Amino acid sequence: MEDTGRLVVALALFGLVAGLALLARGLGAYRAAQQVAGIGTSRIATLAAGEVRLVGVVEADILTLVSPLQSVPCVYFRSRIRERSGDDARTVFSEEKAVGFRLRDASGAIRVFPRDARWDAPLRFDAASDWSGGDPAGLNLNPGASHGPAVDDREAQVAALLTVREPVDLPGAGVAGDPSLFSTTLRAGGFGSAGAWRRDYEERRLELGDTVTIVGSALPFGDLDDPTTADRFDPTLALDDPEVAMNLAEAREAGILASTPEEAWGNAAIPGFAIGRPARAPELDAGADIPALASHEEVVAAEARFEIAASELVLAAAADHPLAILAGPPGEARAREDGRVLLAMAGAALAIVSAMTLAMTLPGTVR
């Protein structure tokens, strides 16, 4: 009987923890649903500062991401690889990233800075290796960098999507890809050998061209707390590292810190110089090839993309208005959040029943 009592207690504890977890997740979904339902959709062209809801299509701004599991250009991904063998299971790869992008509706476009955003992205890839450990159809591990330049030309985007690349074998791992992609995993012990472990792959993404609903704050770019990193999801990219600050202070004191980009980098500080279309004439050695200067139209277009006026309205998270980026139009986004709220109610019921079971069982099992 004591063994039965301990089993009941263990199950009740599990039910209590699981129920509370579902409840906490559901409360977040409830707040998101209220956000979506409580604000009307604004037009970008007539936007005013404050809390807003916008609906539009995702466009690339300066950079895009390349998803780890399918190598698809996107602005957000959350990817995971789990391995299982018998009763054992472990997560061997998990990564979540986002970059700034533009949202466009019928009236115009606005920049979105997704730092600290809450994302609701669709599941784009959900597959498992076969009984022999072979890779599932659709797996196309990214063999290169996780970021790529934004491409404006639609024909170039189509060509990039249709390009077939040969997979690269990852030595000793039994998976296609670049070792640098999974360096953290390999340092922690690597993947299991093919056949001994089955792999589950999961990737959520928001891609270029997706319709999204965004609830957040429209505010002038100059009012952002940290404009240099507000378009990034990775907090480690912030330039507030104490060691970096110490190095800068030492360089200033020693007089070796350049005061201008031109002084530090020379011609490399000229916009467009690195791609052979400098915005102004560079200083070159005698006999060097002189690159063609960028046209006035190219310079203006580049400035419009890379230079953001302090007064330009952007979408971002604020202290009193969190940023939520949800896939689909408002009706679809609200329906998903309502489903999570119902799940939270079930979790609350599970937690109550589990707590009552513990209260009735513990006095008889704990001595």
Side-chain angles (χ1 to χ4, degrees):
M1 291 297 292
E2 289 186 6
D3 290 342
T4 302
R6 291 191 179 94
L7 177 60
V8 171
V9 170
L11 291 175
L13 285 172
F14 175 79
L16 180 62
V17 173
L20 291 176
L22 289 174
L23 179 61
R25 182 179 178 186
L27 289 176
Y30 175 77
R31 288 191 292 268
Q34 292 301 108
Q35 271 188 295
V36 174
I39 306 174
T41 300
S42 302
R43 297 174 73 249
I44 292 176
T46 56
L47 199 61
E51 188 176 21
V52 297
R53 184 181 82 183
L54 295 176
V55 181
V57 175
V58 173
E59 290 185 352
D61 189 15
I62 298 173
L63 293 173
T64 61
L65 295 171
V66 182
S67 69
L69 302 188
Q70 290 197 297
S71 300
V72 175
C74 56
V75 297
Y76 169 82
F77 67 74
R78 186 169 75 245
S79 306
R80 186 179 69 170
I81 301 176
R82 285 182 58 81
E83 285 187 344
R84 49 190 168 84
S85 178
D87 294 332
D88 295 328
R90 58 183 180 178
T91 298
V92 295
F93 176 76
S94 181
E95 188 173 20
E96 183 176 23
K97 279 189 178 181
V99 292
F101 61 94
R102 289 175 183 263
L103 182 74
R104 181 173 296 278
D105 66 10
S107 68
I110 187 171
R111 286 182 170 94
V112 181
F113 290 80
R115 183 78 176 270
D116 298 326
R118 176 182 176 272
W119 295 84
D120 178 22
L123 183 62
R124 305 280 189 166
F125 185 57
D126 186 11
S129 56
D130 59 27
W131 62 271
S132 66
D135 294 336
L139 181 67
N140 182 25
L141 296 179
N142 176 20
S146 61
H147 292 76
V151 180
D152 288 329
D153 183 17
R154 181 178 180 278
E155 296 302 322
Q157 292 184 19
V158 172
L161 288 173
L162 295 180
T163 300
V164 178
R165 297 175 176 85
E166 292 296 325
V168 180
D169 290 334
L170 181 58
V175 214
D178 183 349
S180 64
L181 177 64
F182 302 111
S183 58
T184 303
T185 297
L186 293 174
R187 285 197 299 270
F191 294 96
S193 59
W197 292 80
R198 300 281 299 279
R199 288 182 293 273
D200 296 314
Y201 302 88
E202 181 181 293
E203 186 165 87
R204 294 181 179 273
R205 298 189 302 267
L206 277 180
E207 302 175 3
L208 307 182
D210 283 349
T211 297
V212 295
T213 299
I214 302 181
V215 181
S217 290
L219 69 164
F221 176 71
D223 288 354
L224 293 179
D225 292 335
D226 188 5
T228 59
T229 59
D231 64 336
R232 299 180 177 92
F233 186 73
D234 185 357
T236 63
L237 295 176
L239 299 178
D240 56 359
D241 184 275
E243 186 174 353
V244 174
M246 181 184 68
N247 291 338
L248 287 174
E250 291 177 352
R252 289 193 187 96
E253 187 176 351
I256 58 175
L257 185 66
S259 57
T260 66
E262 290 77 12
E263 182 182 346
W265 303 317
N267 288 333
I270 301 175
F273 180 80
I275 59 174
R277 299 286 285 175
R280 61 178 183 272
E283 296 181 7
L284 301 172
D285 294 335
D289 294 333
I290 301 176
L293 296 182
S295 66
H296 175 71
E297 291 76 14
E298 289 174 324
V299 173
V300 170
E303 289 177 349
R305 163 157 286 185
F306 295 101
E307 300 294 333
I308 307 176
S311 60
E312 180 181 334
L313 285 182
V314 299
L315 275 181
D320 50 347
H321 297 140
L323 182 66
I325 303 174
L326 314 171
E332 291 182 11
R334 173 75 186 274
R336 285 195 304 275
E337 301 299 345
D338 286 345
R340 296 185 180 112
V341 172
L342 292 176
L343 193 61
M345 295 173 63
L350 176 61
I352 292 172
V353 171
S354 299
M356 293 175 62
T357 303
L358 280 173
M360 292 185 294
T361 307
L362 280 176
T365 58
V366 179
R367 289 180 167 81

